[in-house]
Structures are given as C-alpha cells and as structure tokens.
Amino acid sequence: MNLDDSAFLRACRRQPVPHTPVWYMRQAGRSLPEYLKIREGVPMLTACATPDMIVEITLQPVRRYGVDAAVFFSDIVVPLKAIGIDLDIKPGVGPVVADPIRDARGLEALRPLEPDDVSYVTESIRALTGELGGTPLIGFAGAPFTLGSYLIEGGPSKNHDHTKAMMYGAPKLWHALMERLTAIVLEHLRLQVAAGASAVQLFDSWVGAVAPADYREFILPHTRRIFEGIEGVPRIHFGVGTGELLGVLGEAGADVVGVDWRVPLDEAARRVGPGKALQGNLDPTILLAPWEVVERRAREVLRQGAAAEGHVFNLGHGVLPSTDPDQLKRLTDLVHEAGSSA
C-alpha cells in the first residue's frame, strides 16, 4: 500500500477513509510484556539511543495490535540530553535535571542541535521505514513550554512555580529560552522527517497549566514557528488539560489537534474551529474497566468524532502501565469495525 493511502494520513489530511484510524500514545512500551523483557535492566535514555532496541520496541505494538501508525520509541528529553544537558529519567519520577536553568547564564547550556548529536534517531527511522512498509511512522518532540518547564523546575512540577515566575517576571529571559528550545525542537523534528517519518506530533504535555491569554503571549509565537518550519507531512499538536486552550491551539498551525478526555470531540471540534482534524480521546483509565464499559465509551468517542472534519482515534493521554494489552487489541479491532465508513 502507498503510504499516502493509509487511513491515518488520509484522516490527518481530512480526506475520506475506509475506517477510523487508531494508534495510541505510549503504545510503544509501558504495558507490553515483550517491551518489559527487552527493557529489563536498561535505563530509558540508553534504550532511546540504541537503534536495534528503538526499532524493535517501535514495531512491537504494530505487530500485536494492528494499529494504523507506529510511533517512534523515544522520549521528549532526548535532544536535551544529546546537546549535553545533565539529566536523567528516574523511574517513577520522570526527567530530572541536575542544574536547572533560571538565569541568562544558564541559557549557554542550550547549544544548537546538530545532526550528529542524534545519529541514532535518523538511523533508527531509516530502518523502521523499511520494516513498516505501508504503515506510517510518527516522529515527535516535546514542545518548548514543556521542555522549558523541566529545565527550569529541575524535574516534574505540580504548580510550575519557577516556570511561571520566569514567564511573568522575566519575559525577556523567558522568550530567549523559548527561542533556543524552539530551534532545538524544530531541528529535531526536521531530522526525523528527513529520515522518513510520515507525520510528527508536538507534545506540550504541561501547557494546560497556563491561561489562554498567557498562551497567546508567551507560547504561541514559538509553537507557530515550529509548525511553520515543518513541511510535507501532517503535524499534530497535543497537550493535557488544554480544554480552555483548544481555540488558540487551533491557531498554532498544526493539521491535527489532539484532545484529552476532558472535552467531548464534538465540542472540541467547535472550539478548535474549521480546517483541522482531531485526535483522541478515550480516557486511558477506562481501559482498566470491564470490556463492556470500554466498548460503550469507545463507540461514544467515535460518534462524537464524526463531528470533526477528520478523526484519528486515540486515548486522551498515554497508555497506562497497568493496561491489559488484550484490551487494546480488542479496542483497535472495535474502532476498525465500528469506524468503517459506508
């Protein structure tokens, strides 16, 4: 099959599809026993820099579930690690940065990303596109706000205290930090596209922490620059807790806006506005319920998703580690069957 004819890419472009396409954020790992086996004793950032492991982990959910797209196995902090930022991903915690960036001097650590810094990424993507055939590969990166939050806070944060203090209290420093991160993120995405990724997703996981007016002033210009710099492939934009931001997210330049589970897709379509496809949005915790509940809720998502100009079925966030893989397989089959067009 020609890649351009894939249901996933057609839905992203708001073209007619034979069935609603489906993939899952964090499908490459988390709950799969084959993933846990290959990752045993291997630190996350080591796995993310080992091409053979990247390829195998990326392919595992495609083999098991029959999803309509593969998502590159990596982590949003990989480009930061690649340019020399002293960070680690601690199990049960997340990314931890040794020297948080909170002044102009700290910006010096953020040098431009060079292709050789992430040669394992391009090598892995080239290998994957050969293996995947007609199944599209989604590349991704973390958005400047979310990456900046980790760098400023030194790790995950509930209130983003230091991040917002810089954003509101030192706007020149904030925009300088965002500009450096934007250049790194854009280069990282361009390298993935050049290597063969069929689509890209920008994860702004923590951007739901800001109000729409602040997003427009402090974040939108940088996000827009990233999407304007990516050509030739569908661009997806996703954040968590972004119900109040859906309108302005629609202005950032992506082709597809990801929606978490808090806003029904028909309402999300109204907020985002015309000219965009939507992705989402089953609550990941529903997969922990009995199948009858999963089926009922999934059919509701499909019904609401029909209001969008294009719909890619997904969860409202990533697959939870305790998810039964058999539930995801049944869900994939259900979406393909129930989401078939006449």
Side-chain angles (χ1 to χ4, degrees):
M1 182 182 72
N2 187 321
L3 265 175
D4 284 337
D5 289 332
S6 74
F8 168 72
L9 292 177
R10 290 183 66 85
C12 289
R13 294 179 175 129
R14 296 174 288 122
Q15 297 169 339
V17 292
H19 61 263
T20 302
V22 52
W23 70 280
Y24 306 110
M25 288 180 281
R26 291 180 174 161
Q27 68 185 16
R30 302 297 296 271
S31 68
L32 289 178
E34 54 265 44
Y35 167 78
L36 298 173
K37 183 178 179 182
I38 196 174
R39 272 288 317 280
E40 191 173 359
V42 181
M44 180 64 175
L45 288 173
T46 300
C48 291
T50 307
D52 289 350
M53 197 171 283
I54 294 169
V55 171
E56 172 59 21
I57 292 171
T58 302
L59 291 172
Q60 285 174 350
V62 180
R63 294 191 200 111
R64 183 184 271 257
Y65 303 137
V67 286
D68 294 279
V71 59
F72 188 65
F73 173 71
S74 189
D75 190 272
I76 63 170
V77 299
V78 161
L80 299 181
K81 180 75 171 180
I83 62 169
I85 298 296
D86 186 357
L87 61 82
D88 194 14
I89 298 176
K90 297 196 174 178
V93 179
V96 177
V97 179
D99 299 306
I101 294 176
R102 293 178 186 167
D103 54 30
R105 190 177 60 183
L107 294 182
E108 296 169 9
L110 294 174
R111 67 166 176 82
L113 181 72
E114 304 290 344
D116 287 347
D117 295 328
V118 286
S119 57
Y120 46 85
V121 169
T122 51
E123 179 185 337
S124 302
I125 289 176
R126 290 191 185 109
L128 278 163
T129 52
E131 294 272 357
L132 285 164
T135 302
L137 175 67
I138 304 167
F140 73 88
F145 176 85
T146 293
L147 293 179
S149 175
Y150 283 125
L151 289 171
I152 296 166
E153 303 291 341
S157 170
K158 184 177 180 181
N159 297 315
H160 307 279
D161 314 41
H162 296 289
T163 304
K164 288 187 172 184
M166 181 189 294
M167 190 170 74
Y168 298 136
K172 282 191 175 180
L173 176 60
W174 171 262
H175 284 294
L177 173 61
M178 290 295 101
E179 285 169 8
R180 292 211 182 196
L181 288 171
T182 294
I184 291 166
V185 169
L186 181 53
E187 178 65 11
H188 190 47
L189 290 173
R190 282 174 169 166
L191 288 169
Q192 293 177 68
V193 172
S198 300
V200 293
Q201 176 158 312
L202 188 68
F203 282 89
D204 214 346
S205 306
W206 307 133
V207 79
V210 305
D214 292 327
Y215 183 95
R216 195 177 293 281
E217 178 179 354
F218 295 107
I219 300 163
L220 179 61
H222 309 288
T223 311
R224 187 176 274 154
R225 185 179 149 206
I226 291 170
F227 286 127
E228 287 174 349
I230 302 294
E231 298 179 345
V233 299
R235 302 153 298 175
I236 309 169
H237 195 188
F238 174 74
V240 182
T242 51
E244 295 300 320
L245 299 177
L246 287 172
V248 68
L249 290 183
E251 298 174 29
D255 305 289
V256 185
V257 176
V259 184
D260 77 7
W261 66 92
R262 295 170 176 88
V263 179
L265 288 179
D266 46 2
E267 171 60 15
R270 187 190 69 76
R271 295 185 191 185
V272 170
K276 307 288 180 185
L278 296 185
Q279 179 175 282
N281 69 338
L282 187 71
D283 187 333
T285 61
I286 286 173
L287 285 162
L288 308 181
W291 171 249
E292 312 83 74
V293 179
V294 177
E295 180 178 9
R296 185 177 76 249
R297 293 297 194 101
R299 289 184 185 277
E300 185 68 3
V301 169
L302 287 167
R303 186 189 66 76
Q304 294 164 347
E309 295 178 32
H311 178 211
V312 176
F313 190 99
N314 208 312
L315 304 180
H317 199 195
V319 174
L320 296 170
S322 55
T323 304
D324 180 354
D326 290 342
Q327 289 277 67
L328 280 170
K329 172 59 178 165
R330 291 183 76 177
L331 177 59
T332 306
D333 293 343
L334 171 70
V335 172
H336 285 160
E337 178 188 348
S340 297
S341 57

